[in-house]
Amino acid sequence: SQQGEEDPQALSIQEGENATMNCSYKTSINNLQWYRQNSGRGLVHLILIRSNEREKHSGRLRVTLDTSKKSSSLLITASRAADTASYFCAQLQGAQKLVFGQGTRLTINP
Amino acid sequence: DTEVTQTPKHLVMGMTNKKSLKCEQHMGHRAMYWYKQKAKKPPELMFVYSYEKLSINESVPSRFSPECPNSSLLNLHLHALQPEDSALYLCASSTPRLAVYNEQFFGPGTRLTVL
């Protein structure tokens, strides 16, 4: 399988805490993308980091990329109940094919 | 309009039925995608249309038949499905930049149940 691995598979934290999710991938990348999926719904694109970038920020999100280790992490700071969702990393294979990792199910407890 | 719409939201069909899923976007995107997602699994790519031509078929069984009538519409025709085809079917679209297809915009999905 070309799918990446994500850990943890599930994460439960208190509102206000930070959440960190990790993603490892197998092949070289043009970019790595992170998506959020609320329960049983469509995916929402969060952030894209290119292979020549090491860190990127967007609001409360921080993504890092280590191409030597073929890994990426997504940090959500000051979590809110609305952040409860599944989070997937995805790598672009070739020009068109997006391959998703297994995902992390994040639960924010009030 | 930055939305991808999908109809119907839910579909229940028998193994002998013929049905179609529909997807529409008005963002001017020239790439459209079908994904299949089983419960607690990541989406898996089925088909990609690029400039209204089928560019990727991920060895999907012929009981799934995609169609792209124009740059805004994408259909998935279903015939003689099996119960294991029950899943969430997601449509997405994107625009190529520098010949690389970047972030994709997803519709809410069609929840399909095959009896």
Side-chain angles (χ1 to χ4, degrees):
Chain A
S1 168
Q2 295 299 307
Q3 291 176 334
E5 300 295 322
E6 289 187 59
D7 80 271
Q9 289 187 338
L11 179 61
S12 181
I13 60 173
Q14 294 300 119
E15 195 166 14
E17 294 179 338
N18 296 341
T20 299
M21 290 157 269
N22 302 297
C23 166
S24 61
Y25 55 92
K26 297 180 181 179
T27 59
S28 60
I29 57 171
N30 290 316
N31 61 58
L32 194 86
Q33 303 176 37
W34 286 87
Y35 288 81
R36 183 187 76 226
Q37 184 177 33
N38 290 87
S39 180
R41 304 288 293 169
L43 284 81
V44 174
H45 180 263
L46 295 176
I47 197 165
L48 180 155
I49 186 165
R50 300 194 188 283
S51 57
N52 61 355
E53 296 175 311
R54 291 296 167 260
E55 187 170 312
K56 201 162 182 182
H57 296 254
S58 177
R60 294 183 296 112
L61 306 180
R62 181 171 78 98
V63 168
T64 62
L65 180 65
D66 186 335
T67 53
S68 66
K69 295 181 180 177
K70 291 189 168 62
S71 68
S72 176
S73 67
L74 170 68
L75 168 68
I76 303 174
T77 60
S79 63
R80 304 167 182 169
D83 295 328
T84 294
S86 290
Y87 292 81
F88 295 94
C89 65
Q91 63 174 115
L92 200 61
Q93 291 186 350
Q96 297 179 287
K97 182 177 176 178
L98 205 57
V99 177
F100 289 87
Q102 293 300 307
T104 294
R105 291 190 304 280
L106 175 65
T107 302
I108 309 298
N109 302 304
Chain B
D1 186 351
T2 58
E3 233 187 357
V4 176
T5 59
Q6 288 188 245
T7 56
K9 289 184 179 171
H10 300 275
L11 179 63
V12 179
M13 60 186 290
M15 289 190 284
T16 59
N17 292 157
K18 282 186 183 180
K19 296 286 184 184
S20 296
L21 310 184
K22 296 186 186 301
C23 173
E24 191 166 3
Q25 57 88 15
H26 294 287
M27 294 178 278
H29 290 168
R30 302 307 297 274
M32 296 186 76
Y33 311 77
W34 280 115
Y35 289 86
K36 175 182 178 179
Q37 186 179 25
K38 302 284 274 185
K40 297 188 178 180
K41 294 292 186 183
E44 292 187 342
L45 184 66
M46 300 174 72
F47 303 103
V48 180
Y49 272 83
S50 179
Y51 296 93
E52 295 89 70
K53 288 187 168 49
L54 183 65
S55 57
I56 294 180
N57 176 343
E58 288 287 296
S59 303
V60 179
S62 59
R63 57 186 185 267
F64 295 91
S65 175
E67 178 196 20
C68 189
N70 60 56
S71 60
S72 300
L73 292 174
L74 185 66
N75 298 322
L76 186 63
H77 302 298
L78 314 173
H79 174 54
L81 294 194
Q82 303 296 309
E84 58 265 28
D85 296 321
S86 297
L88 182 68
Y89 288 84
L90 295 162
C91 173
S93 69
S94 70
T95 186
R97 295 191 194 99
L98 300 177
V100 175
Y101 292 70
N102 291 305
E103 62 265 29
Q104 295 182 15
F105 293 77
F106 282 80
T110 293
R111 177 77 58 190
L112 174 67
T113 302
V114 182
L115 301 176

